[in-house]
Amino acid sequence: MGLTKTDNFTTEQNELAAFAKALGHPARVAIIEYLSSQASCICGSIVDAIPLAQATVSQHLKELKNAGLIQGNIEGNSICYCLNPEKWKKFKQMLEPTFTHIEQPVCC
Amino acid sequence: MGLTKTDNFTTEQNELAAFAKALGHPARVAIIEYLSSQASCICGSIVDAIPLAQATVSQHLKELKNAGLIQGNIEGNSICYCLNPEKWKKFKQMLEPTFTHIEQPVCC
DNA sequence: TTGTTTTATTGCAATATTACGATAAAGAAA
DNA sequence: TTTCTTTATCGTAATATTGCAATAAAACAA
């Protein structure tokens, strides 16, 4: 198969899964870490910072953009990428119940 | 290809990616949400709660277990699954820099 | 105009994931 | 013992992901 049965789950569950999936590759983790530590975020800098070919980095940027975790703004000749604060807030908020739960483990 | 170049990234980046990837499917999100809201966590209850075949749920449980996000303890005839608090704390801690960064967006 | 820079897209091969029926394995119950 | 219950694994088919070279597209520079 290889086809996720998204209809069986809630919109929220699918959205959280999409956020997590977008972060589920070390190159994309590296991109997010880079954007979390930089004021500037020109695409070319990201390509230089990630040890993969330009085409591959572009593809990873596209996936992060599709998930909404980053956004890109045209800046003359190049593109300025940055984190999307609202989506990250939603991501964080959706993880909260579990982060809270593990403070008082009850089982096993 | 289809083969992630893990050697190009740090151990931490790979670990965060592995956590996120494990959560990157709505069925696994549903399992985690279930375990975050339940004291009991018998495998059979999870299978009943997830709208997929037993074999498929078992496979998803295995992936969450491999990532370390859950653990299973044999309990007589069945298996008691629960969250692994330490791994979740690490997951949370690795996301903190980004969660902090989005409080003061600086770009775009 | 032509050329350069920057980023995205296409096409492809290799590998991974998803889903499920069938079956196996191991303990509980009879 | 046999049977039932519970969970894991195998085998398979369909689809998705990863990576890169080559190329396209779009804006700037000369």
Side-chain angles (χ1 to χ4, degrees), chain A:
Chain A
M1 298 227 165
L3 210 170
T4 297
K5 293 196 160 180
T6 53
D7 290 354
N8 288 356
F9 303 97
T10 68
T11 304
E12 290 244 314
Q13 286 168 337
N14 280 300
E15 188 170 18
L16 176 48
F19 286 153
K21 189 176 186 181
L23 201 63
H25 188 288
R28 297 195 289 268
V29 166
I31 291 169
I32 295 300
E33 287 178 351
Y34 185 81
L35 293 181
S36 298
S37 69
Q38 293 282 328
S40 101
C41 43
I42 302 299
C43 179
S45 309
I46 299 173
V47 170
D48 292 344
I50 306 297
L52 293 171
Q54 180 268 327
T56 308
V57 174
S58 183
Q59 195 174 258
H60 285 305
L61 287 168
K62 189 180 179 183
E63 283 187 56
L64 287 168
K65 203 165 51 181
N66 285 345
L69 291 180
I70 66 172
Q71 54 199 163
N73 289 60
I74 297 172
E75 196 128 318
N77 201 16
S78 51
I79 301 214
C80 180
Y81 278 108
C82 59
L83 301 180
N84 181 335
E86 276 159 36
K87 294 286 184 170
W88 275 95
K89 277 174 194 163
K90 195 161 188 185
F91 189 13
K92 182 182 182 183
Q93 172 210 312
M94 289 196 284
L95 289 172
E96 282 303 342
T98 304
F99 287 155
T100 301
H101 184 263
I102 51 140
E103 296 302 325
Q104 298 151 325
V106 287
C107 184
C108 290

Side-chain angles (χ1 to χ4, degrees), chain B residues 1-3 21 25 28 52-56 59-60 63 76-77:
Chain B
M1 297 223 164
L3 211 170
K21 189 175 184 180
H25 188 288
R28 297 195 288 270
L52 292 172
Q54 180 268 327
T56 309
Q59 198 173 256
H60 285 306
E63 282 186 56
N77 200 17

